[in-house]
Amino acid sequence: MNKFIFIKSSNWSSYELAIKRVEAIGRDSLTFYPSDIHVERWDESLTLFVSFSLISTARRVSDYVWRSPEALLSFDGFPYCGSFEPEASRAEMMLQQWKSDEQLIDTMSGTWAALRHGRDGGKALGDFTGMTPLFYAANEEYLAISPRQMLISSVTARRLDLNLQNLAWLTGQANVMGEDSVWDGIKLLPPHWTLAWSGDRGDVTPRFTEREIWQAPEHLDEARPSEIAQRLVAQADALERLDLPPFSMDITGGLDSRLAAAIVCGSRLAGRVERMQTRGPENGHEIQVGREVARQLGMDHVEITPSPKQLNPQQIFTELRSSMFRYEATICPSDGLTGAAQMSRFVVSGSAGELYRRHCKPHMNVELQSIAELETLFADYHQTTDPLGIERSEVRDFQRRDLQNRALEFHRQGAGLNDVTDVFFLRYRLPLWNGVLQNNLFNQVKIYPLLDYRAACRAQNFDYKDRVEDRLHFELMAEINPRLCELPFYKFTWPRRFKDLPVARQLELPAHPFKTVGEQNLSQLSVGSKMRVLIDQHWEHLRSYMLDPVSSRIWEVLDRTAVEHLFERNPATIRKVTETKQIMAMLGLQVVLTGDMLARMDGAPGTQVRLHGAAAQQMFGHLNPHSRLPAVSFPDVCTRLESTF
């Protein structure tokens, strides 16, 4: 993916300093690989653009930057549209389509963030999902914009101080809420927002425009699913025309991946999919369902199963800490600094289907009648705030008030009482929870057939009851491939009332979930499931990891006495999913605050990058290392990012 930074300075000395820092970064080929640096300077406006990615590639469709006489455009992510020529530059096409923000978002499929700059100023925005993150920092000296937080910090000489108040959301809600990054002074550009700036010399003031994301609710009618289905299939057809290698396709036992499979197999893209794949234990329940879906569609199926020998405390703990940096709200300060390997695989994914359905399970069947009920509901969001009661009371109270204030503000801006939950998902959950996966983990470029701006707008305009019951998923699947509606799911059945819908009158909808056989193998399950092994068998080791380090800022967030009491409990009494997740978040917070595993990067599994230069102490020297090894003496427990540019 593209690693770029745009920086506008308020004075000549700051501008020159930024140029020197860029040159220093360019000399560090170990940090930026491949080190093909593209620099654009506008000295008259003290503006600098730098891309550290391959600009000219064997396939022009992969070029990240386009320069016309009037403007420069650069993007991150994977945009495409139906009017692309197979060999066309996507950056050039995006610049041509950017007649207005709305036209660009409506025209471009995929997940992406784009920046355009000319002599009169410029704009930066992302697609409607925010799944390709775009960060910015603004102060009296600089306006800096980049999809990489570390680039902003390094080029503007900002020291990476942790924003502990925002980081504390991990233990409170297991998801960072709001626009502030976990790194102080850096913000995430919200989806549906545009950041603009002038071309005037020395003017570093950011200007924001927010687009409307909700309207009055209305019910589905028979014409709309057909129109949306045709658009989604046409979008997949457009992807097939690009000069790209063959695709793999994720398939699980759930609803989203099956709808994505219906779209792909109902389009010309089906001929480019070389296999369907399901991850899980050998002959696991999800694999059994995925295998049957592939058989129904006439596709090859591959099982991706981890080795059972990985079940040991060292491996589990390594996975846990790695997951905090890879998945939990872009914690890692490098944030995908190295990007994907040159030989990335393209994988079709059903992620982000929550755009068409209610995501927040605790709010699933709640129908609000008053503002007071809204305020009560949003004392929590997708889980009980601080379920184990280990946060400091002032931290927990702040989080609850903040959730309530955000919910009330969305309602004041026009969201219906029963739509606020879905607005929360669009603003805070989709960009971070789903979006960080866009950072090309495990050498994959993810393609999302379910993402479409018009379809998502229509879904958000449906009555919330239709979103709760997955009606749009059903209507679309029935339009594209009715047979897939009749095949049972892993843990889901269609609501009975769907049998009376016009599109379902000739369908035999399953009354029960898919009948699976065999037991699940714990040694091959997710990090969260493996966490049960650490809790049940290595409780004392976890206690040591939390309580032994002499120096950690974690006690500014957590109540040490409450944590001590937690570890006095019998671990067998900790069974709720939310409690297990909070223990994972607590351990992950300790990972971040003690500097443990800062050297982990995304990209290929096991990738570690050591950064070099004299600015190490300025940027990272203040982060607290362990004062001594904890009792869990894993080989890399104190891995540190020792130096940087």
Side-chain angles (χ1 to χ4, degrees):
M1 310 304 281
N2 192 11
K3 303 170 287 292
F4 70 80
I5 184 169
F6 171 88
I7 185 165
K8 194 166 189 283
S9 306
S10 62
N11 58 76
W12 185 260
S13 61
S14 297
Y15 181 55
E16 285 188 314
L17 193 57
I19 293 172
K20 289 179 180 178
R21 293 195 182 101
V22 167
E23 292 172 347
I25 293 171
R27 290 192 294 269
D28 185 2
S29 60
L30 184 64
T31 300
F32 289 91
Y33 176 80
S35 55
D36 182 21
I37 300 178
H38 180 89
V39 179
E40 294 277 347
R41 293 176 54 170
W42 295 267
D43 291 352
E44 67 278 8
S45 60
L46 306 180
T47 303
L48 183 69
F49 170 84
V50 187
S51 174
F52 298 91
S53 304
L54 285 170
I55 304 304
S56 299
T57 63
R59 293 183 171 99
R60 292 184 69 239
V61 69
S62 299
D63 293 357
Y64 283 117
V65 177
W66 182 261
R67 186 73 162 91
S68 74
E70 294 77 29
L72 173 145
L73 183 138
S74 183
F75 69 87
D76 190 20
F78 191 81
Y80 59 96
C81 75
S83 57
F84 274 175
E85 294 299 325
E87 294 292 337
S89 163
R90 288 180 291 165
E92 179 185 8
M93 184 68 84
M94 292 182 79
L95 187 59
Q96 294 173 359
Q97 294 293 336
W98 205 335
K99 308 300 182 186
S100 68
D101 298 349
E102 290 73 17
Q103 178 177 331
L104 182 66
I105 291 172
D106 187 37
T107 302
M108 303 305 304
S109 300
T111 51
W112 50 268
L115 180 145
R116 182 189 71 192
H117 179 74
R119 295 188 179 277
D120 296 333
K123 287 182 175 183
L125 59 82
D127 71 88
F128 72 101
T129 69
M131 288 173 63
T132 296
L134 200 59
F135 299 95
Y136 70 94
N139 55 37
E140 65 280 358
E141 289 191 282
Y142 295 110
L143 169 63
I145 306 167
S146 175
R148 303 291 183 263
Q149 298 178 73
M150 196 179 213
L151 275 177
I152 294 176
S153 296
S154 58
V155 176
T156 63
R158 295 188 61 88
R159 195 175 76 164
L160 280 176
D161 280 317
L162 290 164
N163 181 337
L164 203 55
Q165 177 174 285
N166 223 39
L167 195 60
W169 281 110
L170 292 178
T171 55
Q173 279 289 318
N175 188 90
V176 173
M177 309 297 292
E179 287 71 47
D180 288 339
S181 164
V182 297
W183 297 101
D184 193 44
I186 297 179
K187 294 180 179 291
L188 176 70
L189 185 66
H192 307 277
W193 286 52
T194 299
L195 191 164
W197 56 91
S198 77
D200 298 338
R201 183 185 179 95
D203 183 0
V204 294
T205 304
R207 297 164 175 84
F208 299 97
T209 303
E210 181 178 8
R211 295 178 297 279
E212 187 176 358
I213 59 175
W214 53 78
Q215 297 175 6
E218 53 189 72
H219 288 277
L220 279 163
D221 61 38
E222 295 183 31
R224 286 180 171 169
S226 176
E227 179 185 338
I228 295 174
Q230 292 172 10
R231 183 176 170 97
L232 293 173
V233 170
Q235 178 177 273
D237 287 339
L239 187 59
E240 185 273 338
R241 291 194 294 271
L242 296 184
D243 181 21
L244 296 169
F247 295 80
S248 299
M249 183 167 187
D250 290 336
I251 187 70
T252 69
L255 188 56
D256 294 335
S257 69
R258 190 177 301 186
L259 178 56
I263 293 168
V264 169
C265 292
S267 72
R268 290 192 295 270
L269 185 59
R272 301 280 296 280
V273 176
E274 61 181 359
R275 71 182 194 185
M276 287 186 165
Q277 59 189 30
T278 309
R279 300 176 186 274
E282 186 176 354
N283 200 38
H285 296 168
E286 294 264 10
I287 285 178
Q288 294 176 41
V289 185
R291 185 190 302 133
E292 179 60 22
V293 174
R295 190 189 69 81
Q296 291 268 1
L297 293 171
M299 305 289 290
D300 291 336
H301 182 261
V302 174
E303 302 176 18
I304 303 177
T305 59
S307 171
K309 67 182 181 182
Q310 291 182 345
L311 183 58
N312 61 72
Q314 175 180 329
Q315 180 65 27
I316 296 171
F317 200 71
T318 299
E319 288 184 24
L320 167 68
R321 289 176 298 166
S322 183
S323 72
M324 288 302 300
F325 281 80
R326 285 173 170 164
Y327 301 110
E328 296 292 346
T330 61
I331 293 300
C332 185
S334 51
D335 189 28
L337 191 66
T338 58
Q342 294 187 64
M343 298 301 292
S344 292
R345 292 176 289 109
F346 287 84
V347 178
V348 178
S349 171
S351 293
E354 300 93 342
L355 280 168
Y356 310 130
R357 72 143 72 86
R358 174 150 294 185
H359 165 76
C360 184
K361 292 181 180 178
H363 297 191
M364 190 67 73
N365 296 310
V366 177
E367 184 172 3
L368 301 176
Q369 303 291 337
S370 68
I371 292 178
E373 291 178 351
L374 176 70
E375 193 169 12
T376 299
L377 182 67
F378 273 88
D380 309 299
Y381 177 45
H382 68 90
Q383 70 176 41
T384 302
T385 302
D386 187 21
L388 288 168
I390 57 177
E391 289 188 332
R392 296 173 66 94
S393 59
E394 62 269 26
V395 172
R396 181 172 56 250
D397 292 345
F398 166 79
Q399 290 173 348
R400 285 177 168 160
R401 287 196 306 272
D402 192 59
L403 287 172
Q404 291 170 328
N405 290 338
R406 290 177 187 275
L408 292 171
E409 180 60 26
F410 284 138
H411 180 57
R412 280 193 290 268
Q413 292 178 8
L417 288 172
N418 291 295
D419 295 330
V420 171
T421 291
D422 302 300
V423 173
F424 257 71
F425 171 77
L426 290 171
R427 284 290 294 273
Y428 305 131
R429 190 71 171 169
L430 181 65
L432 296 177
W433 185 261
N434 296 84
V436 73
L437 299 178
Q438 182 64 21
N439 282 346
N440 274 340
L441 304 176
F442 309 120
N443 296 354
Q444 294 182 0
V445 176
K446 295 278 190 174
I447 308 298
Y448 305 98
L450 301 186
L451 297 186
D452 178 81
Y453 182 51
R454 292 186 191 178
C457 286
R458 296 238 174 120
Q460 293 304 311
N461 290 336
F462 298 149
D463 184 83
Y464 83 100
K465 292 181 180 179
D466 288 320
R467 295 197 296 272
V468 168
E469 294 187 338
D470 299 300
R471 182 174 173 184
L472 186 57
H473 279 73
F474 176 78
E475 299 267 8
L476 291 174
M477 196 178 299
E479 286 282 346
I480 300 170
N481 191 326
R483 289 184 304 153
L484 294 182
C485 291
E486 298 178 319
L487 181 66
F489 295 87
Y490 176 33
K491 291 183 177 179
F492 170 80
T493 56
W494 300 113
R496 291 184 178 181
R497 74 179 185 92
F498 283 10
K499 294 181 179 181
D500 297 326
L501 296 175
V503 74
R505 286 174 184 162
Q506 303 300 318
L507 300 179
E508 292 292 332
L509 301 185
H512 305 285
F514 193 94
K515 186 176 181 180
T516 57
V517 296
E519 298 294 329
Q520 296 282 52
N521 186 341
L522 178 62
S523 66
Q524 297 174 315
L525 295 182
S526 65
V527 174
S529 298
K530 291 177 181 178
M531 186 67 202
R532 291 303 323 172
V533 178
L534 286 181
I535 293 175
D536 293 337
Q537 301 179 21
H538 303 279
W539 191 232
E540 185 60 29
H541 286 170
L542 299 185
R543 178 194 179 283
S544 298
Y545 187 74
M546 289 303 305
L547 299 176
D548 283 1
V550 175
S551 178
S552 173
R553 295 178 64 195
I554 200 166
W555 308 120
E556 297 176 39
V557 175
L558 303 182
D559 184 320
R560 185 181 179 100
T561 301
V563 174
E564 290 172 346
H565 288 161
L566 170 66
F567 282 107
E568 291 171 359
R569 289 175 56 179
N570 183 335
T573 64
I574 301 172
R575 286 298 168 196
K576 294 181 179 179
V577 173
T578 54
E579 294 175 339
T580 301
K581 287 172 61 178
Q582 191 177 27
I583 291 175
M584 290 179 65
M586 174 181 70
L587 295 170
L589 189 59
Q590 184 76 308
V591 167
V592 175
L593 294 176
T594 57
D596 190 7
M597 281 199 62
L598 275 176
R600 294 286 180 175
M601 312 288 280
D602 69 350
T607 299
Q608 296 195 38
V609 177
R610 192 172 298 277
L611 308 175
H612 303 277
Q617 292 303 312
Q618 175 187 348
M619 291 183 65
F620 291 105
H622 60 292
L623 295 177
N624 295 321
H626 284 305
S627 298
R628 68 181 182 85
L629 282 172
V632 188
S633 53
F634 301 146
D636 63 344
V637 75
C638 286
T639 300
R640 286 277 291 148
L641 184 57
E642 295 173 354
S643 57
T644 186
F645 314 113

